[in-house]
Amino acid sequence: MAESPSRVNITNLVADHHRAVYQYAYRLTGSVPEAEDLTQHVFLAAQRNLGKLHKLESARQWLYAILRNRFLKEKQKHWPLPAADLQLDMEDVPDTQLPETAIDREQLQAALNRLPDDSRLVLVMFYFEESSYREIAEQLQLPIGTVMSRLARAKARLRSILFRAEADGRAQPSNGGLASLAK
Amino acid sequence: MDDQASRERRLEQALEVCRPDGLPADDAASAFLAAEMAARPGVAERYRRLQGLDARIAAAMREVPVPGDLAGRLMARLAAERPAREVSRRWLLAGSGLLAAAAGLLVAVWLGLRGGQPLSQQYVLDEAIRSFENSPPELQHWLSDSPPGGFPFSGMLLPGRQVRWQAIADFVGRHGVAYDLSGTEAGRATLFVVAGTVEGLGPAPALQPFTTAGCCASAWQENGLVYVLVVEGDPTAYQSHLRLPTGPIA
């Protein structure tokens, strides 16, 4: 049975969503202290604005929106992107059959950390939040064409960094990681 | 030639951003991609490989270890912010009156929030029973990590196999912690802990509790904290939670 809005309280929100909010924050910030600070900010803001949450089912999206807004506000001074990052870099899409290897979570974070903030944000929305490019455009209030190009560019760049890191490590004993994907 | 380059660029973008099941059929990029895949088998194969890679990146993206005590620290921080906000609200109300009256009101509020304002025993018992009866188990979210400091579990009680807790935002006008003492076979039981004093209240739970139709309750105070135990069932069920074998010490 769905919980009525009157039963929404901050304790329930923390219990149900603190893990997902922290994980989202970690992928965006790339550091444990920053992720904890951001998570704390999200729930403090939620406590102050609890009356604005009208549907319990949308609580997680509401918390994510608070998180994104805070992240953007903090990082806004670093934008816009340098011109070099605007080149579409598709050559790293592997053309051969890909083996079913897992991607190391820390290696993924290291690659994310090398991306501009706006690229990291659309990637986390796409992969972690599972948003479509239309939803990303709506949430970030950006033109759809802008989001499409930014997302495509960010995905290609992410792969490029991941593959390069694996390729660099290929001279070392192989761990069966992403290097094999780029052959 | 330019048209072909533009077409390829559009295709690369569609390959990246289109989810197989995430867009309406009338989405232009999805329709374009579908047409290209139908016409060019290599495109379909490339899309399939990209989707597989995306799935693995998404799985890795969600693999983030969460600090075990994070919920407890969040609740402590949230609880710490509440009194300041209540003072702020009361100050706004008082601001419309005389300065002397406002100052008096602020002093009263300050004392109340610091737990200096006395409560009555019957009031805290009634409020605890009301909260207990209005909080069905399916709507409760207990946490198992360390509770926020300042509201420790009482040494007068048997904690059971696992101590679980949740923050309480407004119990007798104060914030605090509720502990769940429910066992797998025994009925529900909750211990409420808030800062404050109750005039004449003893330092230990009573052996013979206050009873209602469905539950028993007792209140006591330790170290500037008021404890209220509410147990579903009769006095025997209530007494099964007490650590002390004999009755009230006060």
Side-chain angles (χ1 to χ4, degrees):
Chain A
M1 190 173 68
E3 194 171 330
S4 68
S6 63
R7 303 298 305 184
V8 175
N9 62 53
I10 194 67
T11 304
N12 295 348
L13 286 184
V14 170
D16 290 346
H17 303 296
H18 77 277
R19 292 180 60 84
V21 168
Y22 172 83
Q23 290 171 324
Y24 197 137
Y26 179 77
R27 285 308 188 195
L28 280 181
T29 63
S31 90
V32 169
E34 282 188 69
E36 291 196 2
D37 284 350
L38 190 49
T39 303
Q40 178 177 285
H41 170 85
V42 168
F43 285 104
L44 285 170
Q47 179 171 257
R48 293 186 200 112
N49 297 283
L50 207 53
K52 296 178 182 174
L53 176 60
H54 300 300
K55 288 195 297 183
L56 188 62
E57 311 85 68
S58 53
R60 183 161 296 185
Q61 297 310 315
W62 183 63
L63 294 169
Y64 284 169
I66 296 172
L67 190 158
R68 280 194 304 270
N69 289 338
R70 176 68 175 192
F71 175 77
L72 289 170
K73 193 174 177 183
E74 289 289 311
K75 301 291 183 181
Q76 210 161 18
K77 59 188 174 188
H78 298 302
W79 293 10
L81 293 174
D85 287 317
L86 297 175
Q87 299 302 313
L88 197 59
D89 184 11
M90 307 298 291
E91 69 271 22
D92 288 301
V93 177
D95 288 327
T96 56
Q97 185 69 27
L98 304 178
E100 294 295 319
T101 53
I103 295 169
D104 180 78
R105 65 174 187 238
E106 293 305 327
Q107 192 178 350
L108 174 62
Q109 190 61 50
L112 285 170
N113 291 348
R114 292 180 58 187
L115 295 173
D117 296 324
D118 63 344
S119 297
R120 196 158 61 248
L121 178 58
V122 293
L123 286 173
V124 174
M125 292 181 78
F126 183 81
Y127 285 121
F128 186 90
E129 208 175 336
E130 297 183 334
S131 299
S132 70
Y133 70 84
R134 283 177 180 269
E135 290 166 334
I136 295 172
E138 188 178 330
Q139 290 292 329
L140 300 182
Q141 299 183 332
L142 290 171
I144 284 180
T146 301
V147 169
M148 290 176 77
S149 60
R150 185 177 293 178
L151 179 58
R153 196 168 58 232
K155 287 180 66 183
R157 184 75 181 129
L158 177 70
R159 283 196 304 269
S160 169
I161 297 170
L162 283 170
F163 296 156
R164 200 166 299 150
E166 285 283 323
D168 289 346
R170 220 169 12 200
Q172 309 297 323
S174 172
N175 61 2
L178 279 170
S180 52
L181 303 185
K183 286 177 183 174
Chain B
M1 192 64 181
D2 285 348
D3 284 351
Q4 182 61 26
S6 172
R7 186 183 186 86
E8 289 303 313
R9 197 172 188 81
R10 187 181 175 198
L11 175 60
E12 298 288 2
Q13 199 170 75
L15 280 165
E16 292 287 0
V17 305
C18 291
R19 293 184 183 278
D21 53 358
L23 289 169
D26 62 351
D27 179 73
S30 294
F32 172 73
L33 179 59
E36 289 291 319
M37 287 195 295
R40 299 158 62 182
V43 172
E45 173 58 19
R46 193 172 185 198
Y47 185 61
R48 190 191 67 75
R49 285 189 282 111
L50 274 173
Q51 291 300 309
L53 187 55
D54 275 353
R56 276 179 282 155
I57 293 175
M61 189 78 78
R62 288 187 286 269
E63 258 188 57
V64 178
V66 179
D69 60 346
L70 180 62
R73 285 186 284 123
L74 283 172
M75 291 311 304
R77 179 68 183 85
L78 290 165
E81 198 197 45
R82 188 167 297 278
R85 295 179 57 234
E86 288 172 3
V87 168
S88 175
R89 278 202 300 271
R90 289 172 188 247
W91 167 248
L92 286 174
L93 288 173
S96 62
L98 296 172
L99 282 176
L105 180 61
L106 281 173
V107 169
V109 169
W110 182 76
L111 287 173
L113 292 172
R114 286 179 61 85
Q117 193 175 48
L119 303 164
S120 77
Q121 178 174 351
Q122 195 58 52
Y123 176 55
V124 295
L125 285 172
D126 288 345
E127 284 297 295
I129 292 168
R130 187 183 61 79
S131 297
F132 183 79
E133 291 178 338
N134 290 338
S135 302
E138 65 271 18
L139 295 184
Q140 296 183 10
H141 294 80
W142 299 106
L143 303 170
S144 299
D145 52 6
S146 301
F151 303 99
F153 191 81
S154 173
M156 306 285 179
L157 302 179
L158 299 169
R161 279 178 294 185
Q162 183 188 26
V163 176
R164 303 188 306 163
W165 66 278
Q166 62 178 292
I168 46 178
D170 185 12
F171 177 71
V172 295
R174 296 140 198 255
H175 66 271
V177 165
Y179 290 93
D180 176 37
L181 287 78
S182 306
T184 52
E185 295 173 4
R188 283 203 302 137
T190 300
L191 175 67
F192 298 88
V193 189
V194 294
T197 56
V198 176
E199 195 173 353
L201 194 63
L207 187 59
Q208 294 303 322
F210 175 77
T211 59
T212 69
C215 60
C216 299
S218 176
W220 68 100
Q221 52 194 346
E222 304 174 46
N223 304 318
L225 297 173
V226 176
Y227 289 82
V228 192
L229 173 63
V230 186
V231 178
E232 190 175 58
D234 59 17
T236 304
Y238 162 84
Q239 287 158 4
S240 71
H241 291 281
L242 305 186
R243 187 184 291 276
L244 298 175
T246 56
I249 294 172

